[in-house]
Amino acid sequence: MGHRATGSFEITRWDATTEEEDGGVTIASVLVGKEFRGGLRGTSTARLLTVTGRVPTSAAYVGVERMTGSLDGRTGSFAVRHAATMEGDGDERHSTMTVTVVPDTGTGELTGIRGEVAITVHEDGSHTYAIEYDFAR
């Protein structure tokens, strides 16, 4: 990928609805709003489907998110796909997360965007991101 944008974001909305609960395993749908600062400036809305295991630190989610604003000065929007799994706690915590730009979802000056997003949740609860991206030729 030829470009990299970094910054931070705040979660401005978290509306969770329990869809199913059985034996301590919970499936929920969540509507999430975010506000981005840095190389990506703007807002997003994500729709997640989550599952939490009987151990509170064991969970997974999948989702789609539409980001709208400007990325390194280019205005438009694009969608990303999330998939993540978490387990364990403390030093034994393990997680995997992939956030990928969905092909052919870029609009405006972001038409043709492709790439990957890395999200870091810090110990104080703050969030940062790094987007590695390019444009289809």
Side-chain angles (χ1 to χ4, degrees), residues 9-10 13 39 42 52 54 57 61 68 70-71 98 103 129 137:
F9 67 89
E10 288 183 31
R13 178 179 183 179
T52 305
R54 287 183 297 280
T57 54
Y61 79 91
T68 303
S70 66
L71 177 60
T98 58
Y129 66 85
R137 303 209 186 274

Side-chain angles (χ1 to χ4, degrees), residues 28 30 46-51 60-64 81-85 98:
V30 185
R47 287 165 178 79
L48 310 179
L49 186 60
T50 66
V51 60
Y61 79 91
V62 295
V64 293
R81 175 201 48 89
H82 292 248
T85 304
T98 58

Side-chain angles (χ1 to χ4, degrees), residues 11-79:
I11 295 175
T12 58
R13 178 179 183 179
W14 184 277
D15 295 332
T17 303
T18 298
E19 303 291 340
E20 186 178 321
E21 197 164 12
D22 183 27
V25 177
T26 303
I27 295 175
S29 58
V30 185
L31 182 61
V32 181
K34 298 177 186 173
E35 187 172 320
F36 291 86
R37 289 178 294 286
L40 175 63
R41 294 185 172 279
T43 60
S44 74
T45 301
R47 287 165 178 79
L48 310 179
L49 186 60
T50 66
V51 60
T52 305
R54 287 183 297 280
V55 175
T57 54
S58 293
Y61 79 91
V62 295
V64 293
E65 179 175 12
R66 184 174 182 91
M67 300 178 171
T68 303
S70 66
L71 177 60
D72 290 336
R74 296 176 181 224
T75 60
S77 66
F78 60 95

